C-alpha cells in the first residue's frame, strides 16, 4: 500500500498543481508522511472528462459486470489489510476497533448494492401496454424505468473515512477501487479522486459535465455547494447532509422507570467517536422535575474517556462552540470544565430560553448535549413544533406514553428523517428501510437518503419510452422480462 | 354556476385587496363578466395558515375518505355541466371538443389517483425486522414509508385550464372542489384558490408554511420561482415545467417510406391547440436531401386553420419570437407570412448555424417549428449531443434505423424525459408509466413527473421508524399488513 499523494485522474497519477498539503496526526500534532498535491483546474477538468467518456461504457455494462465491480472493490479494500486501518487511525485518531467496524460496513454496503442491482427491481420498471382501438384516441405503449444521471462528484467526510468517503476513505481505498475497476474491465475514468481545499471543490461543482453532488459535512460547506449548484447555468441537485442536533425526548414515565440506563446510554451515544457523528444526540428535551436525571447524566458524561478529535480545526470549533453555549442566556453548564474541552459537556436550559434563541438548536459538533426543560406536555409539544429539520428524533417513553404522545410523533414526522423509540440515534443500520436524511437544514434534499438502498435514486432519473420496438427497449422493459424483475404491468405488480 | 371573482380562502369568499382584473375573450378581445380580486398578503397568509391547520386532519384521514374526496371532485366537476366548458372556451378560445376531452382527462386523473391511494403500495413500505442477538451490535427494527410533505402551492397553467390548473381550471372547478371537500367531510382549508399576478405568487412561494411549489409555464416564470424558493430561509422544491422545443429526429428511411404521412402528422401536432402544448414539436432534425419533405411540410402547415391563442400577451410573444426567428443568421422561413402571425410557421436552417446559435433551440410557444438539416449521421449525433433538456424527443425511422441509431437513443436518454418512436410528442397519456418531465431547462426537477401516478412523489418524503411498537406505527408498516399492500420485507417483495 504505497501512498503517492498524487491525484488519481482515472488510471493516471497526477500532481501538476503547485499547492501541497500534509495530513496531521491529531493525537500528537505531527505531520504524517507523504505530501498531497491539491488538484488544479486542469486536473479537475480531466477527471470529469474521463468520467463523461467512461459513462456510456459503464452505464451500459451488464448488471453482472457492475455488480462484480462493486464486490471487487470490497475485496480489494479487505486485501489492503491492517495497513489501511493503521493509516486511517493515524489520520483521524478514530480507534482501530471502530475503523474495523466501519470497514466491514463499507464492504457490506458494496455487497448490498451489488445484490440490489443483480435483483434488478430497483429500476422501477413500469409498463402500460398500448391499445390501437381505443376511442377517441389510440392508447400508446408507454414504459419507464430509472436510468443513471451521469458523472457525479462526491465530497468525502472526515468523520467516516471509509463508509462516507472514498466508498471507503482515502487514497488507499481509492487505489483499491481502481484495482477493482481494472480487474473487472471497467472503463478508465469510472473513478477519479482529487484532493484539495475549497477551490477544486468549487471547480467540480461548476463543471458542466457534472450531474449531481454528494456531500457530508458542515452546514456552511453544504449550503455553499447548494448555492453554487443552483446558480450554475444548468442547476444540478446537491445531496448535502449537514448539521443536526438530533433531539431526544425523554418522557416522564421513561425517566421514572430507567433513568440510570438512559443516562448511561445517552452518555455513550453523546461521546461515541468523540461526539463526531452526524446523529449525535445534541439536544435533549424533558419535562420538569428532572434534576435527578440531570445529575446522573452529568456524572455519566464525566466518566467517559476524553476523545481525540479528527483535527485541529474541528477541535477548535468544538471548544469555541462550547464556550459560546456556556455563555448564552439561560444556559448552565452541568459538567465540570476540564483543561481541554474535548471532553463531554452537558448544558441545561429552560424551554422559554430555548424558544427565544434559535441558535441553541444548532449542532455543536463534538461530545456536547443541551437538555431543555419544558414545564409540561403542552410546552414540550410547542418546543417540538418550533424545531427545524434534523436527521433523527428520538423518544424515550413507556408504550403507554407513546400512545399518549401520538401528537408528538406526528410533529416529529415533519421534523426528522428517522424517529427512534427507546434507543439512541447514533448507529445507522445499512438496510433497505433506512432513511438517513431529513428536512432542511439537516440536508438540502429531504426526499432522499444517503444510507440504505434507496440512496441509489439520488443518481438516477426516469426515462420513458413510447411505442418502441422490443429490440430497442432496455432489457428491463421488454415483454419477456428476461431478468424476472418486479414490474408494474398495466397497474399490477408482477414478475412475469 | 355563479362566479363571484373573489378569492377562496378555504370555505370563505374574500376580496379584501384593492386590485381587480377581468378575463378577456381572446377571440374578440372583449372583457368577460366578473371582476376578479387579486389576493393581498393577508389573504395569501390566511389561505396558507388554513392549509397548515387542515394538514393534520387531512393527512391522517383514512385512505377511503381521501379517495372519496378525489372522486367527489370529479363528480362535482361533471355536475357543472356545459356551463364550465362554455366559460373555459370564452376565457381561452380552446375549442369545446378539446375542453370536453380535457375535462374527461381531469376526471380520469382524479379517479386514477383515488385508485392509486386505495391500492396503497405507492407508499413504498419497507421493513427490515430487528435481531437482538446479532453481533457485534443488535440489529434494530427499521421501517419506512412515504408521508406527505405539508401544504403546497400550485400555479395554474392557461393552456390546460382544467387538467393542469385548479385540478381543473378555474373558479367553477374550485367551487366544485370545495363542494366535494364539504360533502366528504374534509377540513376547511384543504383547498384554497387565490388570484392575481406576480405578487401573490411571490408571497405564496416565500410563505414559511409552504413546503413545495408546482408550476407549469414559461422558463422565465419557472426560473424566477426556483430562484426565490432556493433563497428562502428554508429552501423548498420547485417542480417547474418550463419551455421545451421537443426535438423530432426524422431519419432518412422514414422520410423515404412515409414523407406524406409524417408531414401531415407533424403539421397537425405543431398546430394542435394553436401550438400551445408544452410538448409541441418545435425542432425537427433531418439529414440532407430533405427539400421534398420540407415542401410537403410547409404545405401541410399552410393548410392548417389559423388558431386563436390564449391571450394577447401570448400572441404578441409568438409574433415577436417568430419575427426574431425569421431574422436569425442562416434561418429561412418556408411558410408564407400572413397578416396575423398566429398561423403555423416553418423555418429551416443548417446544423452548423444551429450549433453556432444556442437561441435557436429555445421554445417558440405557438404553432412554429424549425427544421435543421444535418450533413450526415455524424453531424446529426453531434447536434443531438449539443441539446439541452427537453420534455420529449421523437425518432421517426424504420425498425432497422432504430437499431442503427442506438447511439442516438443513448444520447436522447440524457436529453429528454420521454422518447417517442414513430409518433408525435403532443398527447401525454395519463398512466403509471408516463414520465412528463425532463432535464433542465425543460424542468427544474428532472427526477420527477407532473403527469402519471409517479407525480405523487413530488409531495411526499420518506419517514423512517426505528424500534416502534406495533400500535404506534402507521398501519401500512404494521406486521399484519391489514391493507395487503406490496412491501419490501427483509429484502423480498410481498403482500403478506
Amino acid at each position: 500500500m504505497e501512498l503517492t499523494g498524487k491525484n488519481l485522474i482515472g488510471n493516471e497519477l497526477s500532481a501538476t498543481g503547485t499547492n501541497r498539503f500534509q495530513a496531521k496526526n491529531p493525537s500528537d500534532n505531527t505531520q504524517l508522511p507523504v505530501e498531497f498535491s491539491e488538484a488544479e483546474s486542469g486536473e479537475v477538468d480531466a477527471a470529469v472528462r474521463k468520467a463523461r467518456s467512461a459513462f456510456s461504457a459503464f452505464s451500459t455494462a451488464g448488471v453482472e459486470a457492475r455488480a462484480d465491480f462493486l464486490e471487487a472493490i470490497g475485496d480489494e479494500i479487505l486485501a489492503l489489510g491492517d495497513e489501511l486501518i493503521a493509516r486511517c487511525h493515524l489520520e483521524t485518531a478514530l480507534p482501530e476497533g471502530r475503523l474495523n467496524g466501519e470497514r466491514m460496513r463499507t464492504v457490506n454496503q458494496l455487497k448490498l448494492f451489488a445484490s440490489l442491482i443483480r435483483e434488478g427491481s430497483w429500476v422501477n420498471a413500469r409498463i402500460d401496454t398500448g391499445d390501437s382501438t381505443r376511442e377517441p384516441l389510440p392508447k400508446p405503449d408507454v414504459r419507464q424505468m430509472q436510468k443513471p444521471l451521469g458523472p457525479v462528484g462526491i465530497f468525502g467526510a472526515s468523520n467516516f473515512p471509509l463508509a462516507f468517503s472514498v466508498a471507503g476513505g482515502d487514497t488507499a481505498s481509492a487505489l483499491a477501487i481502481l484495482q477493482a475497476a481494472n480487474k473487472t474491465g471497467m472503463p478508465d475514468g469510472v473513478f477519479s479522486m482529487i484532493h484539495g481545499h475549497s477551490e477544486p471543490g468549487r471547480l467540480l461543482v461548476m463543471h458542466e459535465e457534472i450531474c449531481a453532488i454528494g456531500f457530508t459535512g458542515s452546514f456552511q460547506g453544504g449550503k455553499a455547494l447548494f448555492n453554487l449548484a443552483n446558480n450554475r447555468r444548468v442547476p444540478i441537485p446537491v445531496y448535502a447532509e449537514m448539521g443536526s442536533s438530533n433531539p431526544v425526548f425523554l418522557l416522564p414515565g421513561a425517566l421514572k422507570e430507567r433513568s440510570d440506563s438512559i443516562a448511561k446510554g445517552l452518555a455513550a451515544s453523546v461521546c461515541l467517536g468523540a461526539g463526531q457523528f452526524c446523529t449525535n444526540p445534541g439536544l435533549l428535551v424533558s419535562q420538569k422535575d428532572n434534576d435527578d436525571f440531570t445529575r446522573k447524566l452529568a456524572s455519566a458524561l464525566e466518566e467517559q474517556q476524553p476523545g481525540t478529535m479528527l483535527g485541529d480545526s474541528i477541535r477548535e470549533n468544538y471548544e469555541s462552540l462550547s464556550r459560546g453555549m456556556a455563555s448564552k442566556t439561560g444556559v448552565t453548564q452541568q459538567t465540570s470544565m476540564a483543561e481541554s474541552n474535548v471532553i463531554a459537556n452537558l448544558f441545561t436550559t429552560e424551554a422559554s430560553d430555548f424558544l427565544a434563541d434559535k441558535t441553541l438548536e444548532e449542532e455543536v459538533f463534538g461530545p456536547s448535549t443541551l437538555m431543555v426543560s419544558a414545564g409540561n406536555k403542552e410546552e414540550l409539544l410547542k418546543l417540538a413544533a418550533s424545531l427545524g429539520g434534523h436527521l433523527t428524533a428520538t423518544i424515550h417513553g413507556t408504550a403507554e406514553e407513546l400512545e399518549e404522545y401520538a401528537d408528538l410523533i406526528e410533529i416529529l414526522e415533519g421534523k426528522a428523517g428517522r424517529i427512534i423509540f427507546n434507543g439512541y440515534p447514533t448507529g445507522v443500520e445499512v438496510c433497505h428501510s433506512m432513511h438517513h436524511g431529513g428536512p432542511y437544514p439537516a440536508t438540502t434534499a429531504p426526499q432522499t437518503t444517503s444510507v440504505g438502498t434507496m440512496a441509489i435514486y439520488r443518481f438516477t432519473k426516469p426515462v420513458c419510452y413510447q411505442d418502441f420496438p422490443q429490440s430497442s427497449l432496455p432489457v428491463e422493459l421488454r415483454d419477456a422480462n428476461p431478468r424476472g424483475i418486479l414490474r408494474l404491468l398495466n397497474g399490477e405488480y408482477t414478475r412475469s
Side-chain angles (χ1 to χ4, degrees), chain A:
Chain A
M1 190 187 101
E2 196 197 341
L3 300 184
T4 65
K6 296 185 178 176
N7 298 286
L8 297 171
I9 313 298
N11 290 325
E12 314 273 320
L13 290 170
S14 176
T16 55
T18 50
N19 295 341
R20 298 283 183 277
F21 62 94
Q22 273 179 266
K24 237 185 198 174
N25 183 335
S27 301
D28 60 11
N29 242 347
T30 55
Q31 297 223 312
L32 291 168
V34 185
E35 277 200 324
F36 286 88
S37 172
E38 180 168 66
E40 44 89 16
S41 62
E43 290 171 311
V44 176
D45 185 60
V48 178
R49 294 201 177 281
K50 271 199 174 183
R52 171 50 71 187
S53 305
F55 178 68
S56 171
F58 184 55
S59 61
T60 56
V63 162
E64 280 304 322
R66 281 179 290 136
D68 288 349
F69 173 41
L70 293 178
E71 289 174 341
I73 295 172
D75 295 342
E76 295 292 334
I77 288 173
L78 289 178
L80 293 169
D82 291 343
E83 270 187 281
L84 174 66
I85 301 297
R87 175 77 193 193
C88 276
H89 173 68
L90 284 177
E91 288 189 3
T92 63
L94 293 170
E96 301 203 349
R98 145 75 198 275
L99 291 168
N100 276 317
E102 189 179 330
R103 177 172 59 184
M104 195 43 65
R105 171 192 167 154
T106 303
V107 171
N108 286 339
Q109 213 161 250
L110 290 161
K111 284 186 187 161
L112 181 66
F113 277 89
S115 74
L116 180 78
I117 65 172
R118 280 210 176 90
E119 196 279 331
S121 303
W122 75 271
V123 301
N124 189 24
R126 293 169 164 241
I127 298 175
D128 288 288
T129 51
D131 176 4
S132 58
T133 67
R134 189 183 67 174
E135 295 291 347
L137 289 170
K139 180 166 175 256
D141 179 284
V142 184
R143 302 175 188 231
Q144 78 155 254
M145 65 178 283
Q146 295 287 318
K147 300 285 275 182
L149 270 189
V152 301
I154 305 294
F155 289 71
S158 61
N159 64 337
F160 275 90
L162 295 167
F164 273 83
S165 295
V166 187
D170 65 357
T171 309
S173 334
L175 290 168
I177 293 173
L178 284 183
Q179 185 88 331
N182 290 329
K183 282 194 180 167
T184 56
M186 292 297 142
D188 185 20
V190 72
F191 173 81
S192 290
M193 182 172 77
I194 51 183
H195 316 126
H197 299 93
S198 61
E199 183 59 9
R202 194 189 66 79
L203 291 167
L204 188 66
V205 173
M206 295 306 287
H207 199 293
E208 62 173 11
E209 294 286 3
I210 285 290
C211 296
I213 292 293
F215 170 88
T216 307
S218 68
F219 174 78
Q220 288 72 19
K223 186 66 189 337
L225 298 184
F226 178 75
N227 289 346
L228 264 183
N230 283 327
N231 288 307
R232 282 170 48 125
R233 187 179 65 79
V234 174
I236 55 173
V238 170
Y239 303 107
E241 183 195 318
M242 308 184 291
S244 182
S245 55
N246 302 295
V248 177
F249 291 81
L250 303 163
L251 303 185
L255 289 188
K256 204 165 177 180
E257 268 181 12
R258 331 173 251 117
S259 64
D260 287 320
S261 92
I262 294 175
K264 284 199 182 105
L266 270 177
S269 182
V270 167
C271 295
L272 195 67
Q276 300 164 116
F277 275 81
C278 49
T279 51
N280 189 58
L283 180 62
L284 314 176
V285 184
S286 66
Q287 285 171 226
K288 288 284 183 196
D289 300 325
N290 51 18
D291 292 352
D292 179 56
F293 175 74
T294 305
R295 276 189 298 274
K296 284 179 181 169
L297 180 57
S299 310
L301 285 166
E302 283 169 348
E303 282 166 21
Q304 296 283 321
Q305 292 295 316
T308 303
M309 295 193 82
L310 292 160
D312 286 352
S313 63
I314 287 176
R315 197 195 62 243
E316 285 157 15
N317 183 55
Y318 176 64
E319 289 169 351
S320 144
L321 289 175
S322 299
R323 280 192 301 270
M325 183 64 86
S327 71
K328 292 200 177 178
T329 308
V331 171
T332 309
Q333 179 154 7
Q334 301 289 346
T335 38
S336 54
M337 190 70 89
E339 271 173 63
S340 160
N341 252 325
V342 187
I343 54 157
N345 283 317
L346 171 64
F347 301 95
T348 54
T349 195
E350 301 290 315
S352 53
D353 291 309
F354 183 84
L355 290 166
D357 181 356
K358 292 303 286 174
T359 67
L360 290 175
E361 188 180 341
E362 291 170 8
E363 179 183 35
V364 172
F365 192 73
S368 172
T369 194
L370 170 68
M371 181 143 90
V372 187
S373 297
N376 50 31
K377 181 184 170 189
E378 194 191 335
E379 196 173 39
L380 180 138
L381 293 181
K382 189 176 165 194
L383 191 153
S386 81
L387 293 175
H390 292 269
L391 293 169
T392 70
T394 301
I395 301 172
H396 276 271
T398 62
E400 299 74 50
E401 276 177 325
L402 202 57
E403 297 195 15
E404 191 189 325
Y405 282 76
D407 34 11
L408 176 61
I409 299 177
E410 198 185 320
I411 292 169
L412 296 180
E413 287 172 343
K415 303 292 183 181
R418 178 166 54 112
I419 309 173
I420 299 132
F421 181 60
N422 285 351
Y424 302 96
T426 43
V428 181
E429 185 71 17
V430 180
C431 59
H432 298 290
S433 309
M434 180 48 63
H435 179 60
H436 189 57
Y440 186 93
T443 77
T444 54
Q447 292 164 305
T448 74
T449 181
S450 63
V451 176
T453 52
M454 287 286 287
I456 200 167
Y457 298 109
R458 291 183 155 194
F459 303 118
T460 68
K461 58 166 187 185
V463 176
C464 180
Y465 304 83
Q466 184 168 320
D467 289 332
F468 263 52
Q470 290 289 310
S471 57
S472 292
L473 282 169
V475 68
E476 291 87 350
L477 294 179
R478 295 185 191 169
D479 288 346
N481 194 13
R483 295 185 50 210
I485 62 174
L486 188 76
R487 309 192 294 186
L488 188 63
L489 177 61
N490 294 320
E492 303 279 344
Y493 287 97
T494 170
R495 288 191 186 265
S496 58

